[in-house]
Amino acid sequence: VTVTAPPSAGTLSGTDSICLGGTTTYISTVTGGIWSSSNTAIATVNPTTGLIFGVSSGSTLITYTVAGVGGCASATISRPVTIIPPPSPGIISGAQTLCIGGTSTLTSTVGGGVWSSNNQSVVTINPSTGQLTALSLGTSLITYTGPGNAFCPPASTSVLVSVVTTLDAGILSGNQILCENSTAIYTSTVFGGLWASSNPSVARVDSISGLIFALRSGTTTITYTVLGSGSCPSASASRQLTVIPSPTAGISSGGATGFCIGSTITLTASPNIGVTYQWILNGSVISGQSASSLTAISAGNYQVVVTSPNGCRDTSSILSLSIFTPVQTTIFDTLCFPSTLQFGGLTLNSGGIYQDTLTTYQGCDSIITLNLFVDTILASLSPVAACPGGNVFALTTGQPTGGQY
């Protein structure tokens, strides 16, 4: 009999946190095993060498397996590894064109980094504050190196700064015709300037982003100004903006909120000149319905979209319509013959089922069904003999006399 000692996977060691795209190696005190990763989307591992490669940020389990022999089960041991995302240097903003003697300050969305200039004879920059100083004509690449972390090296980003004799506000672009209550973005080929509107009641503009809000019909001038510094005066560029009226979308049903089964109701859009219409029911376009009026045949939520020739459009608020069902009423009545009953303009004196149609306050049919029963009195004469002094039955007090009763 051969007794085999169970295998051991040993003890694992190695750096358990690495930067994305970096590597580390796990080792075991026992050789001959196989390495594997529980999530290869996070990190892969060489099955023989234990070399780990960070694929994406997150954590995964690295397992080392030593195969069992002689009927013994395999031995395993695991160790987690965490993949750290690399730091970001952020996004640089600030004026990138200066005149000789001018200053400007660059900033990054990530703080704590260091600024540098690759051509300090043209531009110098304070390494901590990012303040630029233009010394001579030319260009310099300004680099911002963000803070690193314990596992990843610092990351950098750069912008090109130019020193010129005169500033330029650049070339402006953006839609020069807008509809009321619409927006647009104006841009310039030069960064770092400020936007303004000559008539804010017609259109407002965000001074930093260039986002325009068209408020009412009219014209305004949108101006972009790059502020001067040092020996350079400010530079401006302008673009004319015209705001045109938008059509007004509305629906009239004549005050009706619904209609009867089998009938229709006409919906009419608010009057506009030279526009097109598109009707909508429950959020979906009604195919082929592009006139200024619509014959509604279904209950639901109606809207109309009105578009002018210049592309301006407006969507009406929702008008909800219901379908009114007929009112059905059944009554029962009994009539004693030969009495009569007035019903639906008829004089009734015989049993049966009768109907009358009235109109509800909504204008729909109100159907009344009458189940009429007629009771008749049955009478018969039978001769009865009575002896004087006899007592057949009492009709009145005293003795009966002959006759008919």
Side-chain angles (χ1 to χ4, degrees):
V1 175
T2 301
V3 178
T4 304
S8 170
T11 302
L12 304 187
S13 61
T15 302
D16 58 5
S17 294
I18 59 173
C19 190
L20 177 66
T23 61
T24 186
T25 299
Y26 276 9
I27 59 175
S28 173
T29 53
V30 174
T31 59
I34 299 297
W35 298 92
S36 62
S37 170
S38 65
N39 190 345
T40 55
I42 301 294
T44 60
V45 60
N46 186 293
T48 304
T49 66
L51 178 66
I52 299 169
F53 177 76
V55 177
S56 62
S57 59
S59 296
T60 184
L61 205 61
I62 303 299
T63 300
Y64 184 66
T65 303
V66 176
V69 295
C72 295
S74 299
T76 62
I77 188 171
S78 298
R79 181 179 175 88
V81 65
T82 300
I83 311 303
I84 308 298
S88 169
I91 300 173
I92 296 176
S93 60
Q96 297 169 29
T97 302
L98 300 174
C99 286
I100 297 175
T103 61
S104 177
T105 299
L106 298 180
T107 60
S108 171
T109 53
V110 173
V114 176
W115 298 91
S116 62
S117 168
N118 78 334
N119 191 347
Q120 297 193 42
S121 64
V122 173
V123 175
T124 61
I125 187 166
N126 185 296
S128 57
T129 65
Q131 184 180 38
L132 297 167
T133 301
L135 303 178
S136 62
L137 296 178
T139 59
S140 177
L141 191 67
I142 303 299
T143 300
Y144 179 72
T145 303
N149 55 47
F151 307 99
C152 299
S156 299
T157 184
S158 300
V159 294
L160 188 66
V161 173
S162 301
V163 179
V164 297
T165 55
T166 57
L167 291 178
D168 181 11
I171 300 174
L172 306 188
S173 60
N175 196 340
Q176 291 183 268
I177 299 178
L178 295 178
C179 302
E180 290 176 331
N181 303 314
S182 64
T183 61
I185 288 284
Y186 271 22
T187 60
S188 172
T189 53
V190 172
F191 299 99
L194 298 175
W195 298 92
S197 170
S198 66
N199 193 345
S201 65
V202 171
R204 292 186 293 107
V205 60
D206 184 270
S207 62
I208 304 299
S209 67
L211 176 63
I212 293 174
F213 303 86
L215 302 177
R216 65 175 179 85
S217 60
T219 59
T220 184
T221 300
I222 303 299
T223 301
Y224 182 69
T225 302
V226 177
L227 298 177
S229 63
S231 61
C232 291
S234 298
S236 297
S238 298
R239 192 170 179 83
Q240 190 79 9
L241 171 64
T242 300
V243 178
I244 55 180
S246 292
T248 301
I251 302 176
S252 173
S253 62
T257 59
F259 48 94
C260 306
I261 292 178
S263 63
T264 62
I265 188 170
T266 299
L267 303 180
T268 305
S270 300
N272 289 273
I273 298 176
V275 300
T276 59
Y277 302 90
Q278 178 59 66
W279 291 91
I280 296 174
L281 174 60
N282 296 328
S284 299
V285 169
I286 306 175
S287 178
Q289 298 300 324
S290 56
S292 60
S293 62
L294 172 73
T295 301
I297 60 175
S298 303
N301 297 321
Y302 287 85
Q303 290 176 284
V304 65
V305 178
V306 182
T307 305
S308 63
N310 49 40
C312 296
R313 64 173 53 193
D314 187 30
T315 302
S316 72
S317 57
I318 291 175
L319 175 67
S320 297
L321 295 180
S322 303
I323 292 182
F324 306 134
T325 56
V327 178
Q328 301 278 355
T329 304
T330 301
I331 60 176
F332 298 86
D333 203 355
T334 301
L335 188 68
C336 292
F337 183 83
S339 299
T340 61
L341 177 68
Q342 297 296 318
F343 178 77
L346 302 176
T347 300
L348 306 180
N349 61 3
S350 59
I353 298 175
Y354 302 90
Q355 283 190 334
D356 189 18
T357 301
L358 304 178
T359 301
T360 68
Y361 74 94
Q362 297 165 331
C364 300
D365 289 342
S366 174
I367 302 173
I368 301 176
T369 301
L370 169 65
N371 290 269
L372 180 63
F373 301 91
V374 176
D375 283 344
T376 58
I377 300 175
L378 299 178
S380 63
L381 298 176
S382 299
V384 176
C387 296
N391 187 16
V392 179
F393 51 84
L395 296 176
T396 62
T397 58
Q399 298 296 322
T401 59
Q404 292 183 348
Y405 298 92

